[in-house]
């Protein structure tokens, strides 16, 4: 499409030049100047990031990225020395200044040190593409900016700026091309990964397409958050079975710390960034996102097939489980994600006394490590007190396909 537009541009330019006498000395320069603006705008917007750098980037770790110049094969002059694209780290403030100048300013200084940050812009005659492939770039160190208030380093967003100077044919006009990557959170230690992912998720989900870098809303509608959590869950776990209405109800009670509201009451609410990943959940040592990310990791690693077969209720409160199970026959059980531990799944089951009274017990949560030693299916088979999966499915019928031959390997 860019190439077609450039052809239209050249045809129009020829027609204007052919009619230069009729256009006269006043109009012709104006038209030619406008033509240059149009070409420059088209050329600059056809320089784009084809493969984004990782959005959570650890220092001293190699990464890959590539940029593509869509009009390269059509407009670049053949030169003895190839054009070179450079990659630099920029802060949010620098990205904003570049945006405000409409990318006409050049970068004054890089905010971090990147190794192997220059690559040739090459045209591939077979595929007809013009790309610069950064294959083993390494962010050596990062210069942190001054942060606002209580902002942590994992809330700080940077980007990679790719830039080059090229000469266009046939006019020989020199153009400075530059394009920003998506926002990146730079970490120096693996334990920052979880919080960095939260910043990236919030930015990807809730930022506007046309924005000042990297402004994003502080509060978003709860319904939008539900969609985001659902998409994230399905993508991470690689399942087609998403979250259900009752799961959202439990998550809303958790994030808003409100157990008296009805399902409909939450639909008009907004959730803040602080509620998502700054404020510690009541009586816990972690935030909502840290807890949810633990569930994601556990499900992805150990519970994917159980979740996809809808054998795990998962997102349900301890109190509600008691309500559900207390009226059920002895040995009825269900599976829920642990509230008190990050990345744990627990089994709740009912015991009936001889007098008919019921008691709901919760088994100590299983972590990913536990389930790598012995799978969830086999653990359920081991536990004689578990009989029927709620509401009323014999456990061998529900979990039989998940049993391994005795002690046979990890699921």
């Amino acid at each position: 499409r860019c190439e077609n537009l450039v052809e239209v541009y050249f045809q129009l330019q020829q027609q204007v030049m052919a009619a230069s006498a009729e256009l006269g000395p006043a109009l012709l320069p104006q038209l030619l100047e406008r033509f240059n603006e149009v070409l420059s705008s088209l050329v600059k917007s056809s320089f784009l990031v084809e493969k984004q750098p990782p959005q959570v980037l650890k220092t001293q770790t190699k990464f890959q990225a590539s940029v593509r110049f869509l009009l390269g094969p059509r407009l670049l002059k053949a030169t003895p020395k190839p054009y070179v694209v450079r990659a630099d780290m920029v802060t949010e403030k620098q990205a904003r200044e570049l945006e405000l100048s409409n990318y006409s300013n050049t970068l004054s200084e890089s905010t971090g040190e990147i190794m192997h940050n220059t690559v040739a812009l090459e045209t591939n005659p077979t595929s007809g593409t013009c790309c610069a492939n950064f294959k083993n770039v390494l962010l050596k160190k990062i210069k942190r900016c001054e942060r606002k208030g209580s902002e942590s380093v994992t809330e700080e967003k940077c980007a990679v700026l790719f830039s080059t100077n090229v000469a266009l044919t046939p006019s020989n006009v020199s153009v400075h091309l530059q394009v920003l990557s998506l926002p990146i959170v730079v970490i120096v230690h693996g334990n920052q990964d979880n919080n960095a992912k939260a910043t990236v998720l919030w930015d990807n989900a809730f930022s506007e397409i046309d924005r000042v870098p990297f402004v994003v809303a502080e509060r978003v509608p709860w319904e939008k958050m539900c969609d985001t959590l659902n998409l994230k869950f399905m993508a991470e776990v690689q399942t087609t079975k998403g979250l259900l209405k009752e799961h959202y109800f439990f998550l809303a009670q958790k994030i808003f710390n409100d157990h008296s509201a009805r399902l409909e009451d939450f639909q008009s609410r907004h959730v803040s960034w602080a509620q998502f990943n700054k404020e510690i959940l009541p009586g816990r040592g972690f935030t909502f996102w840290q807890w949810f990310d633990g569930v994601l990791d556990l499900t992805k690693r150990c519970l994917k097939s159980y979740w996809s077969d809808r054998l795990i209720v998962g997102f349900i409160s301890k109190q509600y489980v008691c309500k559900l199970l207390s009226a059920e026959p002895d040995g009825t059980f269900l599976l829920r994600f642990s509230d008190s531990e990050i990345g744990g799944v627990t089994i709740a089951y009912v015991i009936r006394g001889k007098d008919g009274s019921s008691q709901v017990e919760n088994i100590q949560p299983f972590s990913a490590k536990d389930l790598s030693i012995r799978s969830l299916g086999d653990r359920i088979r081991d536990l004689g007190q578990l009989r029927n999966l709620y509401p009323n499915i014999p456990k061998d019928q529900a979990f039989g396909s998940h049993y391994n031959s005795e002690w046979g390997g990890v699921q």
Side-chain angles (χ1 to χ4, degrees):
R1 187 168 292 180
C2 284
E3 287 172 349
N4 289 343
L5 285 170
V6 157
E7 294 311 324
V8 171
Y9 162 84
F10 283 129
Q11 286 166 17
L12 282 171
Q13 193 190 40
Q14 281 172 348
Q15 288 171 1
V16 165
M17 293 312 288
S20 56
E22 291 92 323
L23 291 168
L27 189 54
L28 183 65
Q30 283 181 1
L31 277 175
L32 291 177
E33 191 183 336
R34 181 77 188 108
F35 268 133
N36 279 340
E37 285 169 14
V38 167
L39 181 64
S40 172
S41 173
L42 181 60
V43 166
K44 286 178 178 180
S45 60
S46 77
F47 185 61
L48 35 96
V49 183
E50 186 171 55
K51 180 181 183 178
Q52 292 284 349
Q55 284 189 269
V56 175
L57 188 54
K58 191 163 173 283
T59 53
Q60 301 296 340
T61 308
K62 286 186 176 178
F63 68 94
Q64 298 185 337
S66 67
V67 288
R68 184 163 165 187
F69 182 28
L70 298 175
L71 288 172
R74 174 69 182 78
L75 291 185
L76 282 195
K77 252 176 105 150
T79 53
K81 213 169 137 206
Y83 297 109
V84 168
V85 180
R86 180 184 167 91
D88 289 289
M89 287 304 291
V90 293
T91 61
E92 183 167 337
K93 184 169 177 280
Q94 288 172 314
R96 200 165 292 176
E97 285 161 2
L98 286 164
E99 171 86 14
L100 291 172
S101 73
N102 204 11
Y103 294 96
S104 54
N105 286 0
T106 51
L107 186 66
S108 51
E109 62 163 336
S110 181
T111 189
E113 195 183 327
I114 303 184
M115 313 280 289
H116 317 297
N117 70 330
T118 54
V119 169
L121 183 63
E122 294 172 318
T123 301
N124 181 329
T126 322
S127 61
T129 57
C130 177
C131 296
N133 294 310
F134 292 81
K135 292 212 171 91
N136 61 345
V137 205
L138 182 125
L139 177 60
K140 200 165 177 198
K141 57 181 183 206
I142 185 78
K143 199 158 65 189
R144 298 288 186 191
C145 350
E146 283 182 28
R147 284 184 294 285
K148 310 181 271 280
S150 65
E151 202 176 62
S152 70
V153 293
T154 53
E155 291 173 87
E156 191 181 308
K157 290 177 270 195
C158 314
V160 177
L161 177 74
F162 298 96
S163 58
T164 185
N165 288 304
V166 296
L168 306 179
T169 52
S171 55
N172 206 23
V173 173
S174 179
V175 181
H176 180 68
L177 300 177
Q178 47 188 6
V179 63
L180 275 178
S181 73
L182 291 174
I184 288 169
V185 177
V186 176
I187 62 173
V188 294
H189 195 282
N191 64 9
Q192 297 173 309
D193 184 65
N194 174 288
N195 291 326
K197 283 194 296 193
T199 302
V200 166
L201 181 69
W202 187 278
D203 194 272
N204 287 348
F206 307 122
S207 58
E208 301 291 331
I209 297 279
D210 292 314
R211 61 161 170 175
V212 175
F214 293 110
V215 174
V216 63
E218 271 292 312
R219 304 177 68 78
V220 296
W222 171 242
E223 284 192 315
K224 267 184 144 181
M225 173 57 82
C226 289
D227 291 342
T228 298
L229 293 175
N230 184 41
L231 287 169
K232 182 70 178 162
F233 191 93
M234 288 165 74
E236 282 288 319
V237 177
Q238 299 271 289
T239 179
T240 54
K241 298 293 196 302
L243 304 181
L244 306 171
K245 207 159 57 177
E246 49 269 33
H247 295 150
Y248 294 136
F249 185 41
F250 164 73
L251 293 171
Q253 289 176 322
K254 196 173 193 66
I255 204 166
F256 293 113
N257 187 29
D258 183 346
H259 297 274
S260 58
R262 294 167 311 155
L263 177 64
E264 309 74 73
D265 299 339
F266 290 119
Q267 284 169 348
S268 57
R269 290 204 193 175
H270 280 64
V271 64
S272 68
W273 162 250
Q275 287 167 315
F276 182 65
N277 195 46
K278 270 182 102 67
E279 293 164 3
I280 299 295
L281 291 171
R284 303 284 177 240
F286 43 80
T287 65
F288 173 85
W289 163 255
Q290 287 165 352
W291 173 83
F292 187 82
D293 188 47
V295 166
L296 277 183
D297 187 59
L298 174 74
T299 312
K300 175 170 74 177
R301 286 164 61 183
C302 308
L303 304 175
K304 177 182 168 177
S305 55
Y306 303 93
W307 174 270
S308 298
D309 291 347
R310 290 284 187 221
L311 299 172
I312 297 175
V313 178
F315 299 104
I316 185 170
S317 69
K318 212 170 183 174
Q319 295 76 357
Y320 193 57
V321 167
C322 283
K323 201 170 136 187
L324 282 184
L325 293 183
S326 52
E328 294 300 320
D330 195 41
T332 304
F333 68 97
L334 59 73
L335 293 112
R336 51 175 277 272
F337 296 123
S338 170
D339 261 331
S340 55
E341 288 184 23
I342 288 182
V345 64
T346 186
I347 302 170
Y349 66 99
V350 65
I351 303 171
R352 286 209 165 275
K354 289 199 169 69
D355 59 353
S357 64
S358 67
Q359 191 180 337
V360 175
E361 294 284 345
N362 284 276
I363 291 170
Q364 174 74 23
F366 301 122
S367 65
K369 189 180 174 192
D370 298 328
L371 297 177
S372 70
I373 296 165
R374 188 149 174 79
S375 74
L376 182 65
D378 289 345
R379 287 176 186 272
I380 287 169
R381 179 171 59 177
D382 295 344
L383 295 163
Q385 66 270 43
L386 308 181
R387 293 182 189 158
N388 293 322
L389 179 67
Y390 179 85
N392 187 24
I393 311 164
K395 79 171 178 187
D396 292 346
Q397 185 185 321
F399 289 92
S401 63
H402 297 274
Y403 296 161
N404 290 314
S405 54
E406 195 54 29
W407 288 104
V410 175
Q411 175 91 346

